[in-house]
Amino acid sequence: MIKRNSSLLCIILLILTTFTGANICLANAAEPPSIIIIVPNAPQDLEISIDNMQASRTEKAFESYFSFYSYSFQAVEYTLTVTDGSDVFEIELDSPLKEYNNIYTLDLDKRVLSEGESPSRDILLITIRIALTLLLEALVFFLFGYRQKISWIIFLTVNLVTQGVLFIWLNSLYTSPLSGDFYIILTMIFAEILIFIVEMTVFLIFIKEHRRLRTAGYVVVANLLSLILGGYLITVLPI
């Protein structure tokens, strides 16, 4: 019986990962700038320009984004001029530009421009989102009176998988840090509906500590609060 239930749990979670692996057309609804330069903890007077064209600056939490749009460019190779107060230096963009996302990360202290986003950045942001969501849902789970070890094992297993898949998927789907919050939240709502169905099914089948009505109530409340928290984190944390 235990073996059969474990197999069923694996199948349900596999279905979730399959569904969330699908692309949603809304992901490309907002075309990003041609060049985006991510600068962690950038000073307020930092400026970046290309051939006297000033980058537009956007702030989100501990990151600043300096963006240039495609219609601004004429040449094939570009030189970035970075101005930090009285300190000015230049960095060459060696690699050819892609049509849409050209994302770079600037290490201001080392004066090094790296193509793409730092892997440690992605890991940190995904971990923060999973940890905060897990803490919230764990609090709700506790308040609903669940104390048995097996209940918590099921809770942790299901939530680590569902939230991990959700945030890794969103991170891979929206590759631009300037992707519109509206589109990300809309995508997350779609994914949360799938997660709600999976969690309702799994918890009602496997958690026997309390009546099914209480378990269903927990799933509804936890997923609603998780959706609210997830939407808020999208607006305040980098993607």
Side-chain angles (χ1 to χ4, degrees), residues 80-111:
L80 295 179
T81 301
V82 182
T83 305
D84 181 9
S86 59
D87 191 13
V88 180
F89 61 93
E90 294 183 343
I91 300 178
E92 296 287 338
L93 281 181
D94 298 326
S95 57
L97 297 181
K98 297 179 291 185
E99 185 176 356
Y100 293 113
N101 282 338
N102 294 276
I103 300 174
Y104 299 88
T105 300
L106 175 62
D107 187 327
L108 200 56
D109 294 331
K110 297 179 180 179
R111 299 187 177 185

Side-chain angles (χ1 to χ4, degrees), residues 4-14 157-158 202 206:
R4 187 178 68 180
N5 286 345
S6 299
S7 300
L8 180 59
L9 176 59
C10 291
I11 291 172
I12 292 172
L13 295 178
L14 180 61
T157 301
V158 172
V202 171
F206 294 98

Side-chain angles (χ1 to χ4, degrees), residues 1 10 31 39-40 46 67 69 95 117 143 161 192 201 216:
M1 182 66 177
C10 291
E31 181 179 330
V39 185
L46 182 68
S67 52
Y69 291 85
S95 57
E117 300 171 354
L143 292 176
V161 172
E192 284 286 359
T201 303

